[in-house]
């Protein structure tokens, strides 16, 4: 906010200037020349004033995330048409049922003398935190052992899928499964009466994309290496991903049935990548298997259990359920379907949950065998129905106390997501350049130039590119002769560029595309004018420069030593004025001997905000006492100035 006069504010708030000055004083806000407020002080004052008015008048309207014209009108006791009229005056066209943004709604409310407040955003935040906090709150005594969750990784064609198939088959052999198993993105096997959960999306991409979303679902990684092929690039990647995630690795040397299989070579290569297997004196477990011939699959699974035992995997089944979405899709008949891994607590049919931006009540749960289940404890993967929308793989899900909380959290997240998307898709425009630059979002200004003759294209290109500086790079990504076509617009859209036209216009149709794609098209007949416009827009994107602005000169006429305070100067203001907030330079015989801050500014015994020319004052300086009679104190303030391009 820039400088605003007290008169102006008093008119805006329907208060007399006297009342306003009183408030300014009582809030302890500093004014500029007794008539204006500026910058942070202005903002602070307006905030405090609004707060006070809110408290006094009680004209506060609380709204949820969704505000429609009708709701707003009703809560102010106005008619919808009154509200619509006000909106129109502000340049916003809205119908009675239309949703309007909080910012616009607050402006309308202010017009009618009301203050708009979000009622549940902080509440939602609290609820969200409360809901999420439970995850951390495990007490050692509540923890019970849980089965391990395993991911299979390795180079393409080394047998990840075959191994998973072979593992699932062990379960079939154990006689547990019947008929066709339904794929739910995870499967479970039982070996020696103990359960192991396998995530069915093999590969480290899935593993890493989950991690990128903050989810850690894997307890153990099985690294498949084909015995006839050895360590390959994706094997190395998988090793690094598992290491980065601090997940223990079990090596499955696969395809040992094949001729040319050389497990020793694999082990040697592994050692070169920091994985020393047990026969080589290390502690990495390796198992030789054949996924195809089903050799030693149970041996591999036993090793998984062994590692799991060492890891002491535990969870608390008796709390609100929490876990991760493994995969999700929209099923034609069943709606959003998500496979989730329960990691803590127990999920039950009927529980209200939030998963990313989706919320809902668990309507049904289906286990890896395609059977309906009523509950799922830690380390159980289940498919759930009943969500409002399709969450993303890697999203966390949390059981929340009730439906309303679930809905509120999801709505809030959706709003945040929409905001993010809007931000991401908002294209550059000359008008917005200023703001986007100052937020540091844009450091390149891409331009497409179209002109009537080649000479103009070149001339404009050169003059514009010359405007580039350290902070803003101007890039002409395309220049050509002729009207502005749809393909120019699409190019600009794809590269977030603006279009500048000289003596040319957009061809019919391209304007509509530009509007749809939010591409800024500017047409000129004078080159100079275009350059002026770009310069102006760019000035706002440059970081402000700081300059010292002298406010006054003060002469030191006496000095006193005061114990506990230091040396205090009795002074006389020669010119201008000195303010408490000023910085100072102390000058002796034309040389600056000190630069620093004021520790105190006094008139007689009182602290004051400023002292003007012709008056006496007392000064002391922060961490500086070496002052003498005759020294000149130059008072100055540091100002941020918007830079322009020369
Ligand atoms: P992925 O890309 O890692 O999932 O590998 P696949 O499981 O699709 O296997 C790639 C190829 O290797 C397939 O043709 C499999 O039949 C074959 N294969 C997998 N495991 C074995 C094995 O233990 N022995 C032999 N001989 N071939 C195997």
């Amino acid at each position: 906010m820039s400088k605003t006069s007290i008169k102006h504010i008093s008119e805006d708030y329907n208060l007399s200037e006297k009342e306003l000055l009183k408030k300014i004083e009582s809030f302890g806000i500093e004014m500029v020349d007794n008539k204006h407020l500026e910058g942070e002080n202005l903002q602070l004052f307006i905030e405090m004033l609004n707060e006070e008015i809110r408290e006094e008048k009680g004209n506060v309207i609380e709204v949820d995330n969704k505000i429609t014209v009708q709701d707003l009108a009703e809560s102010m006791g106005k008619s919808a048409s009154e509200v619509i009229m006000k909106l129109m005056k502000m340049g916003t066209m809205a119908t009675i049922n239309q949703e309007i943004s909080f910012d616009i709604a607050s402006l309308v409310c202010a017009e009618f003398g009301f203050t708009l407040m979000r009622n549940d955003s902080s509440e939602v935040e609290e609820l969200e935190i409360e809901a999420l906090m439970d995850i951390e709150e495990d007490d050692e005594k509540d923890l019970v052992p849980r089965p391990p969750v395993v991911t299979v990784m390795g180079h393409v064609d080394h047998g990840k899928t075959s191994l998973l198939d072979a593992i699932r088959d062990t379960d079939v052999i154990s006689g547990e499964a019947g008929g066709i198993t339904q794929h739910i993105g995870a499967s479970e096997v039982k070996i020696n009466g103990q359960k192991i959960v396998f995530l069915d999306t093999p590969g480290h991409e899935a593993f890493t994309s989950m991690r990128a979303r903050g989810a850690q679902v894997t307890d153990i990684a099985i690294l498949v290496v084909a015995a006839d092929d050895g360590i390959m690039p994706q094997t190395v990647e998988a090793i690094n991903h598992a290491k980065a995630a601090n997940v223990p690795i079990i090596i499955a040397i696969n395809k040992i049935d094949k001729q040319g299989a050389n497990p020793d070579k694999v082990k040697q290569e592994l050692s070169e990548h920091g994985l020393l297997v047990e026969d080589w004196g290390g502690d990495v477990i390796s198992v030789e298997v054949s996924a195809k011939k089903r050799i030693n699959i149970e041996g591999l699974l036993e090793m998984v259990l062994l590692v799991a035992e060492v890891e002491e995997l535990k969870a608390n089944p008796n709390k609100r359920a929490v876990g991760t979405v493994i995969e999700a899709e929209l099923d034609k008949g069943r709606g959003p379907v998500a496979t989730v891994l329960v990691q803590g607590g127990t999920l039950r049919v009927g529980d209200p949950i939030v998963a990313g931006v989706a919320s809902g009540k668990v309507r049904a749960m289906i286990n890896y065998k395609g059977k309906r289940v009523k509950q799922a404890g830690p380390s159980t993967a289940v498919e759930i129905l009943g969500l409002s929308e399709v969450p993303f793989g890697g999203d966390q899900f949390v059981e929340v106390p009730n439906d309303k909380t679930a809905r509120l959290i999801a709505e809030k997240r959706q709003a945040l997501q929409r905001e993010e998307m809007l931000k991401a898709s908002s294209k550059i425009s000359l008008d917005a350049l200023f703001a986007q630059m100052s937020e540091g979002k844009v450091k390149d200004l891409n331009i497409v130039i179209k002109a009537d003759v080649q000479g103009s294209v070149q001339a404009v290109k050169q003059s514009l590119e010359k405007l580039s500086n350290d902070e803003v790079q101007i890039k002409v990504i395309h220049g050509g002769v002729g009207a502005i076509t749809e393909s120019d617009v699409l190019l600009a859209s794809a590269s977030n560029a603006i279009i500048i036209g000289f003596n040319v216009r957009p061809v019919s149709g391209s304007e509509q595309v530009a509007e749809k794609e939010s591409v800024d098209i500017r047409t000129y007949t004078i080159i100079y004018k275009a350059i002026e416009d770009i310069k102006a827009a760019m000035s706002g994107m440059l970081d402000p420069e700081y300059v010292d602005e002298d406010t006054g000169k003060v002469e030191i006429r006496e000095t006193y030593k005061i114990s506990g305070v230091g040396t205090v100067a009795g002074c006389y203001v020669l010119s201008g004025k000195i303010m408490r907030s000023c910085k100072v330079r102390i000058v002796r015989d034309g040389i600056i001997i000190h630069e620093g801050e004021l520790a105190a500014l006094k008139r007689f015994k009182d602290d004051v905000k400023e002292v003007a020319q012709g008056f006496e004052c007392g000064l002391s300086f922060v961490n500086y006492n070496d002052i003498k009679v005759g020294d000149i104190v130059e008072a100055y303030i540091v100002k941020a100035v918007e830079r322009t391009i020369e």
Side-chain angles (χ1 to χ4, degrees):
M1 274 194 224
S2 52
K3 199 161 145 175
T4 303
S5 71
I6 304 297
K7 189 162 171 270
H8 213 110
I9 306 175
S10 73
E11 281 165 8
D12 277 354
Y13 280 86
N14 235 343
L15 287 167
S16 75
E17 285 185 44
K18 216 168 150 194
E19 280 174 308
L20 209 62
L21 285 168
K22 236 181 175 173
K23 286 195 193 298
I24 293 176
E25 199 177 45
S26 72
F27 294 161
I29 305 268
E30 267 197 23
M31 282 197 285
V32 190
D33 57 49
N34 282 328
K35 287 202 187 85
H36 295 87
L37 283 176
E38 194 173 35
E40 271 177 27
N41 284 338
L42 172 61
Q43 201 162 351
L44 191 67
F45 178 67
I46 298 292
E47 275 166 23
M48 290 170 89
L49 193 60
N50 283 340
E51 184 68 47
E52 198 181 83
I53 291 169
R54 247 178 254 144
E55 277 170 17
E56 273 172 19
K57 293 195 175 164
N59 273 359
V60 178
I61 297 171
E62 295 199 348
V63 287
D64 298 332
N65 288 332
K66 277 188 185 156
I67 313 165
T68 65
V69 171
Q70 178 150 32
D71 293 346
L72 200 63
E74 273 172 19
S75 37
M76 290 190 294
K78 305 279 169 197
S79 74
S81 56
E82 275 178 288
V83 172
I84 291 173
M85 288 290 280
K86 273 275 190 286
L87 280 166
M88 268 164 74
K89 278 195 194 141
M90 289 161 43
T92 304
M93 296 295 173
T95 57
I96 182 160
N97 291 319
Q98 196 163 329
E99 228 182 279
I100 50 176
S101 76
F102 182 84
D103 291 340
I104 296 209
S106 346
L107 287 175
V108 175
C109 284
E111 288 276 307
F112 287 111
F114 287 83
T115 309
L116 194 66
M117 283 172 77
R118 288 185 209 271
N119 76 358
D120 56 21
S121 56
S122 56
E123 185 193 345
V124 170
E125 231 156 51
E126 275 162 30
L127 288 169
E128 184 162 17
I129 292 164
E130 189 191 311
L132 296 175
M133 281 228 296
D134 262 9
I135 305 159
E136 313 294 331
E137 277 174 15
D138 284 332
D139 207 324
E140 194 59 40
K141 68 174 176 11
D142 301 325
L143 295 177
V144 297
R146 64 167 177 87
V149 179
V150 181
T151 304
V152 177
M153 301 203 265
H155 194 71
V156 63
D157 276 347
H158 277 198
K160 297 180 290 292
T161 315
S162 311
L163 188 63
L164 277 166
D165 286 346
I167 288 166
R168 270 193 293 265
D169 272 1
T170 44
D171 214 39
V172 177
I173 293 162
S174 72
E176 283 232 350
I180 312 143
T181 52
Q182 188 183 339
H183 170 81
I184 69 155
S187 45
E188 288 174 16
V189 291
K190 253 198 186 143
I191 181 105
N192 305 338
Q194 282 174 281
K195 201 172 96 171
I196 306 174
V197 180
F198 282 87
L199 297 184
D200 279 353
T201 330
H204 55 259
E205 291 85 359
F207 176 83
T208 306
S209 74
M210 290 247 175
R211 277 218 319 129
R213 299 183 65 89
Q216 177 100 323
V217 288
T218 305
D219 301 309
I220 298 166
I222 293 183
L223 181 69
V224 183
V225 188
D228 60 337
D229 205 17
I231 304 276
M232 297 304 277
Q234 285 172 302
T235 323
V236 178
E237 274 179 41
I239 294 173
N240 293 336
H241 286 279
K243 277 188 180 166
N246 223 350
V247 168
I249 299 172
I250 295 176
I251 313 288
I253 300 176
N254 190 28
K255 308 198 186 181
I256 49 154
D257 60 298
K258 263 183 121 172
Q259 266 206 333
N262 189 349
D264 278 335
K265 188 168 158 271
V266 172
K267 290 176 190 174
Q268 194 236 313
E269 287 172 349
L270 283 168
S271 72
E272 290 163 18
H273 289 93
L275 290 178
L276 210 54
V277 297
E278 284 177 320
D279 345 348
W280 283 53
D283 56 5
V284 177
I285 295 174
S286 79
V287 186
E288 292 171 25
V289 299
S290 164
K292 196 170 177 180
K293 298 271 163 71
R294 308 290 195 255
I295 300 170
N296 207 17
I297 303 300
E298 292 198 14
L300 174 66
L301 296 178
E302 277 162 10
M303 286 305 146
V304 171
L305 289 179
L306 193 76
V307 173
E309 214 179 290
V310 175
E311 293 290 303
E312 292 188 29
L313 305 167
K314 285 179 177 166
N316 173 9
N318 299 310
K319 62 171 189 176
R320 275 193 265 137
V322 52
T324 301
V325 175
I326 304 298
E327 54 183 44
E329 60 171 15
L330 187 64
D331 185 282
K332 260 196 213 143
R334 302 183 297 165
V337 178
T339 297
V340 300
L341 175 73
V342 180
Q343 292 172 291
T346 300
L347 187 65
R348 294 179 178 83
V349 171
D351 283 345
I353 62 164
V354 187
V357 296
S359 66
K361 236 188 171 106
V362 177
R363 207 170 64 221
M365 291 201 287
I366 295 131
N367 73 3
Y368 73 104
K369 284 184 205 157
K371 279 197 191 133
R372 279 181 174 245
V373 287
K374 286 252 174 320
Q375 59 175 55
S379 289
T380 312
V382 280
E383 198 175 65
I384 57 169
L385 308 184
L387 286 175
S388 58
E389 27 213 297
V390 183
F392 292 99
D395 275 346
Q396 187 186 58
F397 85 83
V398 197
E399 179 192 337
V400 289
N402 53 55
D403 290 2
K404 186 174 174 229
T405 312
R407 194 172 39 78
L408 286 179
I409 295 173
E411 271 174 15
K412 189 182 163 218
R413 287 185 179 163
Q414 281 168 20
L416 280 175
Q417 196 186 46
R418 267 198 302 273
E419 251 171 53
E420 287 300 310
M421 268 163 64
L422 269 177
K423 271 191 212 154
S425 68
S426 69
K427 293 274 164 55
I428 191 83
S429 78
L430 222 44
D431 293 332
L433 199 57
F434 186 101
Q436 297 195 15
M437 287 285 184
S438 46
E439 279 174 39
K441 281 196 200 125
V442 185
K443 287 291 171 204
D444 283 326
L445 175 56
N446 292 339
I447 298 180
V448 171
I449 299 173
K450 291 305 288 281
D452 51 346
V453 288
Q454 188 59 34
S456 306
V457 177
Q458 285 310 326
V460 179
K461 183 171 187 283
Q462 277 166 13
S463 348
L464 287 181
E465 284 185 340
K466 262 198 231 143
L467 295 177
S468 291
N469 55 33
D470 289 350
E471 284 143 278
V472 186
Q473 286 290 311
I474 298 202
K475 284 193 203 139
V476 174
I477 55 163
H478 174 64
V481 173
I484 298 159
T485 64
E486 220 175 285
S487 101
D488 293 326
V489 174
L490 293 175
L491 171 68
S493 169
S495 12
N496 198 18
I498 62 166
I499 301 180
I500 287 189
F502 282 91
N503 294 326
V504 292
R505 313 282 317 155
V507 295
S508 68
S510 59
E511 247 167 342
Q512 283 91 309
V513 181
E515 199 168 317
K516 204 170 124 247
E517 301 279 322
S518 321
V519 171
D520 192 8
I521 300 181
R522 307 242 160 181
T523 53
Y524 301 89
T525 49
I526 307 164
I527 293 179
Y528 172 75
K529 188 80 192 79
I531 294 162
E532 279 295 289
D533 273 10
I534 304 260
K535 261 195 202 175
M538 272 176 76
S539 308
M541 20 177 187
L542 297 173
D543 296 332
E545 212 168 33
Y546 292 94
V547 294
D548 297 347
E549 194 179 281
D550 288 350
T551 62
K553 272 204 176 72
V554 179
E555 190 187 5
I556 299 184
R557 295 189 163 174
E558 278 166 299
T559 61
Y560 315 88
K561 280 212 170 68
I562 297 176
S563 64
V565 177
T567 309
V568 174
C571 307
Y572 179 79
V573 183
L574 296 174
S575 64
K577 59 180 177 179
I578 181 164
M579 279 107 62
R580 176 67 186 84
S581 56
C582 280
K583 289 185 180 275
V584 287
R585 285 182 289 264
I586 303 177
V587 182
R588 186 176 299 164
D589 303 325
I591 294 163
I592 298 172
I593 55 164
H594 173 71
E595 272 192 84
E597 284 166 30
L598 281 180
L601 172 62
K602 292 192 189 254
R603 281 259 316 139
F604 304 107
K605 292 229 143 43
D606 299 329
D607 281 312
V608 288
K609 284 196 176 143
E610 62 175 68
V611 180
Q613 182 181 347
F615 289 94
E616 285 180 342
C617 61
L619 297 183
S620 60
F621 307 95
V622 174
N623 296 330
Y624 195 76
N625 293 312
D626 181 22
I627 45 173
K628 281 194 181 138
V629 173
D631 288 350
I632 300 292
V633 178
E634 293 179 352
Y636 67 96
I637 51 172
V638 182
K639 258 197 161 165
V641 216
E642 249 164 39
R643 274 193 287 172
T644 52
I645 294 137
E646 281 80 43

